Amino acid sequence: MRRLLAIRNYIPFTYKMMIPYLVLVLITDVVIGYVSYSMLVQSRTEVAKTGIRAALDQTRNNVEYRMDEIQGMSDLLFGSLPFQRALQTKGDRLTMYYAMLDEIIPQLEAPLKLIGSPIRIILYTDNEDIWEAGGATLHKPITQSDYFVRKFSMLENSNWFPAFQAAKKDNVWLQADMDTKLGNFSHFRRLVSYTDYMTVIGYVRIIINFDSLLGNLVLDPNERGMVLRVLDTSSGGILYSRGAELEKGGTSDYLSLREAIPDTTYAIEVLVPNEYLKTDAKELQWIIGLICAASFVLMALIGFLVANLSGKKMKRIVSHVRSFQQGDLRQRIDFTGNDEFVLIAHSFNRMASSIQELIQSVYEQGLQKKQAELEALQAQINPHFLYNALSTISSLTNLGEPQKVTEMVKGLAQFYRLTLNEGQVLIPLEKELEQVQAYLGIQKVKHADGFQVYIELDPEIRDVKIIKLLLQPFVENVFKHAWFGETIAIRITAKRDGDRLELKVIDNGIGMKKEQVEKVLRSSIQSNTYGLKNVEDRIKLRYGPQYGVRIASIYGGGTTVQILLPLHTEFYKERTDSEYVGYRA
């Protein structure tokens, strides 16, 4: 069963080799696809970084330029002597009116005309005689340039100035008051007296909106999901942010690019989403995947084609081996070339020839042994029966019955004439029954009318050939072992049973017990079971183990001997030598 399953599950070696080949192709395609995709993403990232850095560099230049402009305004106000004198002027209302009109306001208005972006300039003075002037509110976004004059007390009352003043900072950029809310950035510095640099006469604050400071940024964060921020690198605070809101993962899902603002602790940062970097790569990812899949399919087809072409010789070898396994020893493999398959073919042919010769030799020896065994068994029958017959003749002679002696000698001569049958082992079934009748004729001389015999023969099988002397030993056993009364009846039948021939010898003698029947069937001793063992061995030697003798008996009720033979015995003749002559390499 396992052998049949192994044959049914047979997979050609070339196809088995396809498994590691396809795995290798798959791994190669996956690696190539992954490397290509990674290189594409890396290339896309580098291109994006290059473009964004260029835009950042331009933005930084714009910021640096505007901050330098505002720094110049601050320096102009800080170094203007007329402006400083006007801030320190004291007097009546008229005097202060002219000071404001001629010096302070023109100095504040002049820078507003020099810069293109809207800004606010706030002057904080501690001179109580200087009036407050300028715009109406500082709490709205810067839409146009404007100036403001405010009292120093406004600074002192703010929540940021005391800490700034204590830190002794000056001429710096910062966010104060409403700057964070309005998105503004302020430059703040103090003004000192021209006669005494230690005397503070006021403060100037120039405010610019971050949108104006950053200028017309080339990037459009809203459309690309990017975020533009201005950071304070010293504190890590965010001064300004524009663009998409950060996702829950924070900046981990973004590519961060920064440009430091010169001479400050501030930096411009652009956060680029990784999804944006992979936008084009995703489209190409499908293309790469399809290319890799197509490559795998193509390589698989090529592999199967090569395996099929290279496997033809292997299939041919397997076919010959299977034929060889089924007993066809004439198959030979004819390959040309100088590869391993030719060597296998030559070895196979030499092996097949050797096995064929060996089988022929062994078979011939087997036939000879089988024939010798049959002849030996056959030879055992004749002396055994002859001995019994001569013993009976001797007894009759001593009893003075010459007539019976004569009839018995005639019957014995007829029996042996039929038995010899010109040396033929196989005789027609009809002749076998004639032998039995000749034997019964001899027994008739001895036992007169003490037994009755009934013979039933199917006419269609009368010419079927069987081994001679199959029935006589069992009929003889009836007289020797089964007869226990004054009379006995014997019935002999021959009929067809499917593709088998069934012969029976039935008697109504004493019969045998079950254990005695089993002992007879198992016994190898040639004693009382002499005839049974002889016939059994001859049948199995001639026809095979599936045929033979069966016994059914009831103690006190008789015995039935069944002999099973193949119906068409011509199909069971020994094969001749010519049947094994095949092609020799």
Side-chain angles (χ1 to χ4, degrees):
M1 186 65 179
R2 291 181 178 177
R3 190 174 182 181
L4 289 175
L5 290 176
I7 294 176
R8 290 179 181 177
N9 296 331
Y10 163 75
I11 301 176
F13 177 75
T14 51
Y15 289 160
K16 291 181 179 178
M17 291 300 296
M18 284 294 296
I19 296 176
Y21 167 75
L22 292 177
V23 171
L24 180 61
V25 171
L26 180 60
I27 293 175
T28 303
D29 285 345
V30 170
V31 170
I32 292 176
Y34 176 77
V35 172
S36 300
Y37 177 72
S38 300
M39 292 179 65
L40 179 63
V41 172
Q42 184 178 2
S43 174
R44 180 71 179 86
T45 302
E46 291 299 327
V47 171
K49 287 170 66 175
T50 301
I52 295 171
R53 284 197 180 279
L56 272 177
D57 186 64
Q58 179 181 346
T59 302
R60 184 203 62 196
N61 292 336
N62 293 338
V63 170
E64 185 177 3
Y65 175 75
R66 286 176 170 80
M67 291 178 70
D68 286 344
E69 281 187 320
I70 294 174
Q71 183 67 47
M73 297 177 190
S74 175
D75 293 341
L76 183 62
L77 294 175
F78 180 84
S80 174
L81 293 178
F83 184 67
Q84 293 180 16
R85 290 192 188 99
L87 290 179
Q88 299 178 67
T89 301
K90 291 184 178 292
D92 56 19
R93 293 179 61 86
L94 181 60
T95 301
M96 297 309 298
Y97 173 76
Y98 284 113
M100 290 282 291
L101 186 62
D102 295 336
E103 296 295 340
I104 295 177
I105 292 178
Q107 290 282 359
L108 296 176
E109 287 182 339
L112 301 179
K113 300 175 181 178
L114 299 177
I115 188 170
S117 301
I119 62 173
R120 286 175 180 166
I121 299 179
I122 305 175
L123 173 64
Y124 298 98
T125 177
D126 61 350
N127 189 344
E128 296 296 332
D129 293 340
I130 296 178
W131 309 330
E132 289 189 353
T137 180
L138 295 170
H139 302 291
K140 292 183 178 180
I142 302 174
T143 56
Q144 62 182 8
S145 298
D146 202 356
Y147 67 91
F148 297 82
V149 180
R150 294 291 185 263
K151 296 294 184 181
F152 181 69
S153 59
M154 183 177 181
L155 272 180
E156 292 179 326
N157 295 329
S158 65
N159 58 0
W160 63 271
F161 181 73
F164 174 82
Q165 191 175 29
K168 296 181 180 181
K169 295 181 179 180
D170 187 29
N171 196 23
V172 295
W173 287 88
L174 52 78
Q175 282 188 314
D177 292 333
M178 300 293 292
D179 285 349
T180 302
K181 181 178 180 181
L182 299 177
N184 297 334
F185 201 31
S186 298
H187 180 267
F188 192 80
R189 76 181 299 176
R190 63 187 175 182
L191 301 175
V192 298
S193 174
Y194 66 93
T195 58
D196 181 8
Y197 289 106
M198 300 301 295
T199 302
V200 178
I201 61 175
Y203 291 89
V204 63
R205 178 182 173 189
I206 304 175
I207 306 173
I208 186 172
N209 187 267
F210 270 113
D211 290 335
S212 298
L213 181 65
L214 296 174
N216 297 324
L217 187 63
V218 176
L219 301 174
D220 188 354
N222 290 319
E223 293 185 2
R224 303 181 183 180
M226 293 186 288
V227 180
L228 175 65
R229 305 194 300 184
V230 178
L231 307 177
D232 185 351
T233 56
S234 61
S235 63
I238 301 174
L239 306 181
Y240 172 78
S241 179
R242 185 176 74 189
E245 294 183 1
L246 291 180
E247 297 181 359
K248 294 181 180 180
T251 59
S252 60
D253 296 329
Y254 293 82
L255 171 67
S256 175
L257 299 175
R258 291 185 182 184
E259 283 290 339
I261 300 175
D263 301 325
T264 66
T265 59
Y266 306 113
I268 305 171
E269 181 184 45
V270 174
L271 297 177
V272 185
N274 292 330
E275 291 298 323
Y276 165 71
L277 298 175
K278 298 178 181 179
T279 300
D280 296 338
K282 280 188 174 181
E283 297 178 0
L284 292 176
Q285 183 180 16
W286 284 99
I287 298 176
I288 292 174
L290 291 175
I291 292 175
C292 291
S295 172
F296 177 78
V297 173
L298 178 61
M299 295 301 292
L301 292 176
I302 294 175
F304 277 109
L305 179 62
V306 172
N308 187 43
L309 293 177
S310 63
K312 284 186 176 180
K313 289 186 176 181
M314 186 64 72
K315 289 180 180 178
R316 189 174 175 186
I317 292 175
V318 171
S319 175
H320 282 70
V321 169
R322 283 183 171 175
S323 299
F324 190 81
Q325 185 179 13
Q326 293 171 0
D328 188 357
L329 304 181
R330 295 171 294 180
Q331 294 291 336
R332 296 295 184 270
I333 305 174
D334 184 17
F335 286 158
T336 58
N338 56 355
D339 55 13
E340 293 84 353
F341 290 103
V342 175
L343 179 61
I344 294 174
H346 288 168
S347 300
F348 176 85
N349 293 340
R350 288 195 297 269
M351 178 189 69
S353 298
S354 299
I355 292 177
Q356 185 177 11
E357 293 174 359
L358 180 61
I359 290 177
Q360 178 68 24
S361 175
V362 171
Y363 185 75
E364 290 177 355
Q365 294 177 7
L367 284 180
Q368 294 173 0
K369 180 180 178 181
K370 179 179 178 182
Q371 186 62 33
E373 291 176 352
L374 285 173
E375 291 176 356
L377 291 172
Q378 184 66 39
Q380 292 174 357
I381 293 290
N382 296 332
H384 177 74
F385 173 71
L386 179 61
Y387 171 79
N388 291 335
L390 292 177
S391 179
T392 302
I393 292 172
S394 176
S395 299
L396 292 174
T397 302
N398 293 331
L399 294 174
E401 297 184 7
Q403 182 65 32
K404 291 184 178 181
V405 170
T406 302
E407 292 179 4
M408 184 169 287
V409 171
K410 290 181 180 179
L412 185 63
Q414 181 184 8
F415 175 80
Y416 273 100
R417 184 174 62 253
L418 293 171
T419 301
L420 293 176
N421 192 33
E422 299 179 352
Q424 298 295 322
V425 177
L426 299 177
I427 62 174
L429 177 59
E430 188 176 24
K431 290 290 184 181
E432 175 70 9
L433 292 175
E434 288 182 11
Q435 286 181 337
V436 173
Q437 288 174 338
Y439 171 77
L440 291 173
I442 295 173
Q443 295 296 332
K444 196 76 172 177
V445 174
K446 182 177 179 180
H447 299 287
D449 297 328
F451 64 90
Q452 292 83 35
V453 178
Y454 305 94
I455 298 177
E456 299 177 9
L457 173 63
D458 190 348
E460 66 172 335
I461 60 173
R462 67 174 59 247
D463 294 327
V464 174
K465 289 187 177 182
I466 63 172
I467 304 173
K468 61 184 177 181
L469 289 177
L470 291 183
L471 295 174
Q472 184 273 335
F474 295 104
V475 175
E476 182 179 354
N477 281 338
V478 172
F479 289 97
K480 291 177 62 177
H481 303 293
W483 198 347
F484 71 99
E486 294 182 357
T487 62
I488 192 170
I490 303 173
R491 182 183 179 189
I492 301 173
T493 65
K495 65 178 181 178
R496 177 174 183 168
D497 182 15
D499 59 349
R500 297 183 302 180
L501 175 64
E502 181 187 64
L503 306 177
K504 286 185 178 180
V505 177
I506 307 170
D507 66 74
N508 61 350
I510 192 171
M512 293 181 287
K513 296 180 180 179
K514 182 178 180 181
E515 57 270 17
Q516 188 177 2
V517 173
E518 294 177 353
K519 182 178 179 181
V520 168
L521 293 174
R522 292 196 306 267
S523 175
S524 61
I525 301 175
Q526 303 290 334
S527 57
N528 291 336
T529 61
Y530 174 82
L532 168 64
K533 184 63 178 174
N534 184 286
V535 173
E536 176 80 358
D537 290 345
R538 285 192 293 143
I539 290 174
K540 292 189 181 301
L541 278 173
R542 172 67 65 173
Y543 304 119
Q546 66 270 36
Y547 301 101
V549 179
R550 299 176 183 175
I551 298 177
S553 181
I554 299 176
Y555 186 69
T559 301
T560 299
V561 176
Q562 181 190 46
I563 303 174
L564 294 176
L565 304 174
L567 181 61
H568 302 289
T569 56
E570 59 270 20
F571 295 144
Y572 290 84
K573 294 180 182 179
E574 293 82 356
R575 289 177 288 184
T576 62
D577 295 347
S578 62
E579 295 182 54
Y580 287 89
V581 177
Y583 173 80
R584 299 180 183 271

